[in-house]
Each structure stands twice: as structure tokens, then as C-alpha cells.
């Protein structure tokens, strides 16, 4: 092959994308959301397109804390975060995670009416929520997980949510 070219309409994905990472350690859900808002602000200032945050970044990972069973508090703080994103000029698509409850009949093998999952989703720059994703698998106590990669298009690129640690699939540690 001496030459090669691509012709036709432009590709549907950008050639470059700026990805940022934000991690915080906070002791309450409110403090976690405040930190995420700061991460979004800094990401916007830096020209970040996609901001990735740690699992359960909206609430923090404190599996024995009663706050993580307070559905109303979690939903209220999620709404507060979404509004802050919408109010931030140039906000990136921001991946967040938090405990959420879904009907048990939507979860294979569930015997409960409501299943608490480790939810992951993108908050769009306008503050709306992207499609929900259950994390592939992990070992947090009391949270169910899916076993399929969650694939979606964000900012014109394909994104699949992986795993940071795992008690079942130890090869991904």
C-alpha cells in the first residue's frame, strides 16, 4: 500500500478531547457535592470536556454512614449539583456516582422490591442527567452491581465505564 486516504463527510467524533479527573475525600454528602462543584468550576476554567470523578463521588464512600441510605438527601444533593453545573459557564460533562434505588424487577436475580445500586451517570453541561449506568462490578457492602460494560457517547466519543477494584473479577485490580 503506497497511499491511503479517507474521503466523505467528517468523522462523527472529535480528533481531540480534554479529559480531567477530580477526586476528593469528604465526610458528608454536602461536603462532597461542594467539592464536586469546585471540580466542575476548575474543569471549566481549564477547558475540560469530560470530567471523571471517583465512584460514589456525590456522597463519598462511607458504607456504614446512615446518610447513604437517605434517598431524599441524596436526591436533593444530586439536584443541587445539577443546578450548579448548569450555572457554571463552560461546564464539562461530569461523571458522578452515588447510591440509587431501582425496582427489583429490573435487576436480574433480585429478590427485593427495591435494589440499592452503585449508580454512575454523566451530568451534562446544562445540568440534565445522561443515561443511568450501574457500575460493572465492585465489592462495596450493600450495593448491587451490573456485569456489563456501560457504553455511551459523550462529547462525540464512545465512553465505557470500567472498574477501579473488584472482589469478583480480581484480574482488574
Amino acid at each position: 500500500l503506497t497511499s491511503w486516504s479517507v474521503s466523505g463527510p467528517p468523522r462523527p467524533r472529535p480528533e481531540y478531547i480534554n479529559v480531567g479527573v477530580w477526586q476528593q475525600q469528604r465526610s458528608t454528602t454536602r461536603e462532597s457535592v461542594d467539592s464536586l462543584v469546585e471540580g466542575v468550576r476548575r474543569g471549566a476554567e481549564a477547558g475540560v470536556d469530560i470530567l471523571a470523578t471517583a465512584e460514589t463521588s456525590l456522597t463519598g464512600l462511607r458504607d456504614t454512614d446512615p446518610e447513604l441510605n437517605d434517598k431524599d438527601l441524596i436526591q436533593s444533593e444530586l439536584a443541587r449539583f445539577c443546578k450548579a453545573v448548569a450555572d457554571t459557564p463552560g461546564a464539562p460533562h461530569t461523571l458522578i456516582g452515588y447510591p440509587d434505588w431501582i425496582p427489583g424487577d429490573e435487576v436480574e436475580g433480585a429478590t427485593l422490591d427495591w435494589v440499592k445500586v452503585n449508580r454512575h451517570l454523566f451530568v451534562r453541561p446544562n445540568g440534565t442527567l445522561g443515561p443511568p449506568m450501574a457500575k460493572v462490578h465492585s465489592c462495596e457492602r450493600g450495593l448491587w452491581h451490573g456485569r456489563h460494560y456501560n457504553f455511551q457517547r459523550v462529547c462525540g466519543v464512545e465512553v465505557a465505564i470500567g472498574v477501579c477494584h473488584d472482589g469478583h473479577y480480581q484480574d482488574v485490580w
Side-chain angles (χ1 to χ4, degrees), residues 7-87:
S7 61
R11 292 174 18 159
R13 61 182 73 86
E15 190 167 344
Y16 299 99
I17 195 154
N18 294 316
V19 178
V21 177
W22 184 259
Q23 178 147 356
Q24 75 284 337
Q25 178 68 30
R26 301 294 180 243
S27 59
T28 68
T29 298
R30 182 161 190 80
E31 290 172 347
S32 291
V33 171
D34 290 344
S35 180
L36 284 174
V37 170
E38 176 67 12
V40 167
R41 186 190 62 75
R42 289 189 193 185
E45 289 174 358
V48 167
D49 299 304
I50 296 175
L51 182 66
T53 69
E55 66 178 335
T56 60
S57 58
L58 188 84
T59 58
L61 181 57
R62 305 174 319 275
D63 60 352
T64 59
D65 191 324
E67 260 193 15
L68 299 189
N69 287 314
D70 187 337
K71 298 176 196 177
D72 293 335
L73 171 70
I74 292 169
Q75 289 300 309
S76 171
E77 289 298 300
L78 174 61
R80 183 170 73 89
F81 177 69
C82 290
K83 181 176 181 338
V85 170
D87 291 344

Side-chain angles (χ1 to χ4, degrees), residues 92-107:
H93 284 77
T94 305
L95 177 66
I96 60 169
Y98 58 94
D100 197 8
W101 290 261
I102 60 175
D105 60 4
E106 293 180 17
V107 180

Side-chain angles (χ1 to χ4, degrees), residues 85-142:
V85 170
D87 291 344
T88 303
H93 284 77
T94 305
L95 177 66
I96 60 169
Y98 58 94
D100 197 8
W101 290 261
I102 60 175
D105 60 4
E106 293 180 17
V107 180
E108 183 181 349
T111 58
L112 306 169
D113 291 337
W114 291 94
V115 175
K116 185 178 171 185
V117 297
N118 190 359
R119 173 76 76 205
H120 286 80
L121 52 76
F122 281 94
V123 177
R124 298 179 184 110
N126 66 4
T128 61
L129 301 177
M133 301 176 281
K135 192 169 177 198
V136 175
H137 194 276
S138 61
C139 56
E140 291 88 14
R141 185 177 354 163

